[in-house]
Amino acid sequence: MSNLAQRLREIVGDAFVSFEPEELYLYSMDQGTMPPAAPDAVVMPKTTEEVAKIAQLANELKVPLVPMGGGLVLSGLTRALKGGIIVDMKRMDRIVEVNPASRYTVVEAGVTQGKLKAYLAKHHPELKHSMPDAPPAATIAGNICIHGSGHLSVLAGFHSDMLTGMEVVLPTGEIIRTGSCSVSPQWFAKAPLPDLSGLFLGWSGTTGIITRLGIRLFPNYRFNDVLVYVCEKAELMPKIISMLTSTQVAEDMTPWMVPKPEWAKGFFHINVAFGAHSKKELIFKRNLLQESVRQITDTKAAGFLPIPPVQKERFMKIPSPDLARFADARKGGGFEYVGAIMAIERFAEAYNAGIEIAEKH
Ligand SMILES: Cc1cc2nc3c(=O)[nH]c(=O)nc-3n(C[C@H](O)[C@H](O)[C@H](O)COP(=O)(O)OP(=O)(O)OC[C@H]3O[C@@H](n4cnc5c(N)ncnc54)[C@H](O)[C@@H]3O)c2cc1C
């Protein structure tokens, strides 16, 4: 271990390596319910070259590596189950480029959702990226690694679908690039070569450490609105969602059900968020959405809920303050991320299974 400690210090400097038990304890768990598992060391690299040297060293000494972003995934994926080194990416936090014409950005792997959001708001207010409802300290790379989703997913798919290129350090320490950045200076697309990004997406950091990535950006509309559609039958939800999405107007749709307050109990709500460059366009899009479900609305089996402006404002906040509040265990909340990725026609089945699990626990 002393050989490992000495060589890690030579790579990143004394201040960015820790073997201290109290610090390793903090890295042994996340906010989810999985049992703790502490690493032998934590290291915080600043450059791709440092990550490559760490990987070469770990490969030589046969020590496991666990990359970590915000450590907020909630299913314990950043625990060091076989010991080894946690590679905490938070110091690699540079926003390298924003390309407004081709609408993409290139960021280092430690850049957080909150940092990119604040940067775009300040320097490119006409652009936005798709944010999950995770706390702003979650990283863009960590979320893409687990096929995360967010506020533009109805429009553009999983966050891994919005990827335009990657720089990755392999377990051998070699550095590779995927996407257009592997053959040109631009990071605008996964094409033109065979797309190897799938070797690192959904693998939870086990096949390589992403050091830099490109993601798509989207227009940040001046005018925004949210509609809330309500029905009483879970079986109707797939049809409603399918009709609403057929307009290709909604940026985000969030189905929600709550046992309290009493008036909301037993109802299925769908928040439908959309935006526009002008008021006229916003009204046009609102009409399109309302028309798309008229067939169901006319039967009175479902309908749009009038919501006061204050509540509307709250629904449009990104990330959602309500979800974070709900997840705050210290205030009596609780949250276990189950990553339900499923076809929409299984909505009722998933809902009933969720209720069964919630009542059991
Ligand atoms: C209140 C709340 C709301 C949430 N809402 C959402 C949501 O709307 N959508 C959603 O998708 N998730 C959501 N989550 C889950 C989770 O927080 C997010 O997915 C988060 O973005 C994960 O990012 P992270 O930086 O914390 O990743 P981490 O937990 O650090 O890492 C996730 C995985 O990726 C790997 N990894 C991290 N960085 C790298 C890298 N550079 N190279 C290779 N592998 C790496 C890790 O080893 C791990 O396996 C929510 C969580 C909370 C607490």
Side-chain angles (χ1 to χ4, degrees), residues 67 69-73 77 109 132-134 138-139 142-143 145-146 148-149 204-205 208 210 337:
L72 288 161
V73 82
L77 290 178
D133 273 325
T139 61
N143 184 264
C145 280
I146 58 154
S149 58
S204 306
I210 300 166
Y337 188 66

Side-chain angles (χ1 to χ4, degrees), residues 8 19 22 25 53 73 83 91 104 154 176 213 217 225 238 243 247 250 257-258 280 286 297 358-359:
L8 283 176
F19 284 81
E22 61 273 26
Y25 172 77
K53 284 182 187 163
V73 82
R91 286 179 69 225
Y104 69 82
V154 166
I176 61 139
L213 66 162
L217 296 175
D225 199 0
M243 286 166 129
T247 59
M257 297 67 73
V258 285
K280 204 172 160 188
R286 189 187 301 141
T297 313
E359 281 173 359

Side-chain angles (χ1 to χ4, degrees), residues 5-263:
Q6 178 55 29
R7 290 178 65 185
L8 283 176
R9 289 191 180 108
E10 281 165 14
I11 296 170
V12 294
D14 283 356
F16 301 109
V17 183
S18 178
F19 284 81
E20 301 302 326
E22 61 273 26
E23 283 172 337
L24 301 184
Y25 172 77
L26 294 175
Y27 282 88
S28 69
M29 63 188 102
D30 63 18
Q31 291 88 340
T33 52
M34 302 302 277
D40 298 309
V42 175
V43 61
M44 296 184 81
K46 182 68 184 159
T47 64
T48 300
E49 288 65 34
E50 287 181 5
V51 176
K53 284 182 187 163
I54 294 165
Q56 278 161 13
L57 176 62
N59 194 26
E60 179 194 322
L61 301 179
K62 299 291 172 247
V63 178
L65 289 181
V66 181
M68 173 180 159
L72 288 161
V73 82
L74 299 182
S75 29
L77 290 178
T78 54
R79 292 168 308 148
L81 293 180
K82 295 183 178 172
I85 308 165
I86 287 189
V87 185
D88 183 337
M89 301 299 286
K90 288 188 193 69
R91 286 179 69 225
M92 293 188 66
D93 64 348
R94 271 191 325 126
I95 295 168
V96 181
E97 180 193 354
V98 173
N99 184 321
S102 296
R103 279 201 288 273
Y104 69 82
T105 180
V106 182
V107 298
E108 288 186 334
V111 170
T112 62
Q113 304 286 350
K115 178 163 182 169
L116 182 59
K117 184 183 179 192
Y119 184 89
L120 291 174
K122 186 168 177 194
H123 301 286
H124 299 276
E126 76 286 6
L127 294 171
K128 66 182 173 190
H129 77 292
S130 180
M131 281 190 77
D133 273 325
T139 61
I140 291 160
N143 184 264
I144 277 188
C145 280
I146 58 154
H147 289 304
S149 58
H151 282 265
L152 296 172
S153 285
V154 166
L155 201 68
F158 291 109
H159 288 158
S160 45
D161 296 328
M162 301 176 196
L163 186 80
T164 59
M166 270 193 297
E167 177 187 79
V168 185
V169 172
L170 300 181
T172 53
E174 289 159 277
I175 302 167
I176 61 139
R177 283 186 173 189
T178 69
S180 58
C181 66
S182 63
V183 287
S184 84
Q186 274 86 38
W187 289 62
F188 64 96
K190 283 187 195 169
L193 298 178
D195 180 19
L196 297 182
S197 58
L199 293 173
F200 310 100
L201 301 173
W203 287 90
S204 306
T206 54
T207 51
I209 301 184
I210 300 166
T211 45
R212 196 174 273 209
L213 66 162
I215 57 163
R216 285 176 64 191
L217 296 175
F218 299 83
N220 189 20
Y221 292 123
R222 270 187 67 205
F223 299 91
N224 294 282
D225 199 0
V226 63
L227 294 171
V228 180
Y229 201 61
V230 191
C231 79
E232 271 184 286
K233 287 194 185 136
E235 292 71 26
L236 258 186
M237 291 288 275
K239 189 169 179 197
I240 293 171
I241 291 171
S242 186
M243 286 166 129
L244 287 165
T245 50
S246 73
T247 59
Q248 303 206 14
V249 157
E251 288 192 319
D252 188 22
M253 286 178 40
T254 314
W256 56 276
M257 297 67 73
V258 285
K260 286 177 190 167
E262 205 54 41
W263 57 261

